[in-house]
């Protein structure tokens, strides 16, 4: 006889609603997706970006804010229960661009959160924290960081910052090492790294409301056929992806030529990020 042990959902009996959520990066690709979906989980959604975000909608507050501006970030965070932090440079760029938005910006956000008593942050980290692992290996979230870019380094800093603020102040963070979250996978690599928007929403909901997460790292990836990441150390989130990149496989494999075996884009998990730059030499 086979016994199947069903694990209880950690959100069973937990209210997945709070007073006010702050969403940074609300004008970006994922910000626009979550701006539609997060209102279910709060009385008020405060949306923010350095770029124009338009008028506040019903049950919204809209604030244009540069994360590099410490006092503006302090005001932005006041009165918030949970922060979903997506704002920042989201691709490889010169360090001088990454530093203020991603490194100083994350520091400003955590300092403001500490001052204002915010106890839960969902941090949009990235698979590029570990982009120099090979595509033929499976790593878990305890594997040492191996950033593939200045961008990946900034996300590695953000994860360390999150751990520090938990150890020092008890502020909890779930670091989402997002793979590739777009409406659909765009290339062969994304067949392994793709995160569908329903799975993104599930992950963010769990990251906001599952109790006692301490500082958790989880890869944001759907139930793709081939996955390079093992989320077993984040099992307490109860994340169970429901989407997969399979419907796009045939079209992508037909359209995209296979790269040479030693092409870094094919070798490393970070793909093209491992060869982008240096800038301005
Ligand atoms: P995106 O580039 O579309 O959005 C980022 C937003 O941050 C933009 O609207 C931008 O104006 C804003 N921003 C940039 N600098 C800022 C500053 N100094 N102050 C305030 N806002 C600033 O990126 P996307 O795809 O929406 O990603 C959202 C987050 O998730 C980013 O942090 C990104 O690094 C992370 N991520 C996304 C992945 C994806 O596949 N979409 C994969 C891995 C991580
Ligand atoms: C990221 O971290 C980027 O923000 C996103 O634009 C994609 O490039 C993604 O990683 C990826 O690895 O596909």
């Amino acid at each position: 006889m086979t016994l199947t042990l069903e694990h209880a959902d950690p959100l069973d009996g937990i209210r997945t609603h709070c007073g006010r959520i702050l969403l940074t990066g609300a004008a970006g690709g994922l910000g626009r997706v979550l701006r539609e979906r997060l209102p279910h989980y709060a009385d008020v959604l405060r949306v923010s970006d350095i770029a124009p975000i338009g008028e506040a909608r019903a049950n919204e507050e809209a604030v244009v804010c540069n994360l590099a501006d410490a006092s503006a970030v302090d005001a932005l965070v006041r009165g918030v229960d949970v922060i979903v932090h997506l704002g920042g440079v989201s691709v490889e760029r010169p360090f001088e661009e990454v530093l203020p938005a991603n490194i100083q910006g994350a520091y400003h956000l955590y300092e403001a959160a500490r001052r204002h008593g915010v106890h839960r942050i969902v941090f949009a980290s990235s698979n590029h924290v570990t982009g120099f692992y090979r595509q033929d290996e499976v790593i878990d979230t305890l594997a040492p960081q191996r950033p593939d870019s200045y961008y990946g380094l900034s996300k590695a800093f953000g994860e360390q910052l999150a751990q520090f603020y938990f150890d020092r102040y008890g502020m909890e963070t779930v670091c989402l090492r997002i793979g590739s979250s777009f409406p659909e996978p765009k290339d062969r690599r994304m067949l392994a790294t793709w995160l569908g928007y329903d799975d993104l929403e599930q992950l963010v909901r769990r990251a906001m409301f599952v109790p006692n997460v301490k500082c958790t790292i989880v890869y944001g990836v759907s139930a793709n056929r081939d996955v390079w990441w093992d989320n077993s150390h984040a099992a307490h989130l109860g994340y169970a992806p429901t989407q997969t990149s399979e419907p796009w496989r045939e079209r992508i494999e037909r359209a995209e030529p296979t790269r040479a075996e030693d092409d870094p884009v094919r070798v490393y998990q970070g793909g093209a990020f491992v060869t982008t730059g240096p800038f301005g030499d």
Side-chain angles (χ1 to χ4, degrees):
M1 187 176 74
T2 310
L3 264 185
T4 309
L5 291 176
E6 293 292 341
H7 293 283
D9 187 325
L11 284 179
D12 277 354
I14 302 289
R15 187 162 183 259
T16 57
H17 195 92
C18 67
R20 182 178 278 104
I21 296 172
L22 167 63
L23 174 66
T24 71
L30 299 187
R32 289 195 301 273
V33 171
L34 291 178
R35 188 176 182 175
E36 300 293 333
R37 298 181 182 223
L38 291 188
H40 297 295
Y41 307 113
D43 297 335
V44 177
L45 179 64
R46 182 177 292 170
V47 291
S48 179
D49 205 289
I50 194 173
I53 39 176
E55 291 295 307
R57 303 172 189 168
N59 303 320
E60 261 193 7
E61 298 164 342
V63 184
V64 173
C65 172
N66 183 353
L67 290 160
D69 179 341
S71 59
V73 173
D74 186 78
L76 179 68
V77 167
R78 188 176 301 129
V80 158
D81 299 300
V82 176
I83 302 173
V84 179
H85 181 43
L86 306 185
V89 171
S90 66
V91 291
E92 179 61 332
R93 296 296 299 157
F95 187 72
E96 292 70 21
E97 288 180 36
V98 173
L99 176 66
N102 291 19
I103 296 181
Q104 290 172 328
Y107 165 70
H108 294 155
L109 192 90
Y110 272 83
E111 269 300 284
R114 175 187 66 74
R115 279 192 294 268
H116 294 297
V118 179
H119 291 297
R120 180 66 61 92
I121 298 176
V122 181
F123 170 54
S125 183
S126 171
N127 71 89
H128 296 286
V129 169
T130 50
F132 263 119
Y133 286 94
R134 296 175 59 93
Q135 294 187 10
D136 58 13
E137 55 191 330
V138 173
I139 55 170
D140 66 25
T141 54
L142 299 183
Q145 298 176 335
R146 294 182 75 177
D148 59 22
S149 49
Y150 301 128
Y151 166 70
L153 272 169
S154 75
K155 296 295 186 179
F157 172 82
E159 291 186 359
Q160 299 282 341
L161 192 74
Q163 184 67 55
F164 168 71
Y165 276 84
F166 175 69
D167 291 335
R168 181 71 177 77
Y169 302 112
M171 293 160 54
E172 295 193 316
T173 297
V174 177
C175 301
L176 309 180
R177 282 185 183 166
I178 301 170
S180 307
S181 196
F182 299 99
E184 56 186 62
K186 301 177 190 173
D187 54 30
R188 284 176 186 266
R189 173 179 167 274
M190 289 192 192
L191 291 173
T193 60
W194 186 65
L195 173 68
Y197 290 158
D198 290 346
D199 286 339
L200 170 73
E201 179 184 350
Q202 184 199 153
L203 207 40
V204 171
R205 172 171 168 267
R206 290 176 179 282
M208 291 192 296
F209 295 115
V210 169
N212 196 28
V213 294
K214 302 186 175 73
C215 182
T216 294
I217 295 172
V218 61
Y219 282 97
V221 67
S222 284
N224 305 327
R225 189 191 77 182
D226 308 313
V227 172
W228 306 324
W229 307 314
D230 169 355
N231 271 333
S232 52
H233 298 295
H236 53 279
L237 294 179
Y239 172 58
T242 61
Q243 297 179 275
T244 171
S245 61
E246 273 315 285
W248 290 276
R249 176 176 298 283
E250 197 189 327
R251 199 181 70 209
I252 287 174
E253 289 184 344
R254 204 177 336 111
E256 186 184 321
T258 314
R259 289 173 182 272
E261 268 180 27
D262 61 350
D263 184 333
V265 175
R266 177 170 167 190
V267 172
Y268 296 106
Q269 296 188 1
F273 279 60
V274 305
T275 57
T276 307
F279 300 93
D281 281 355

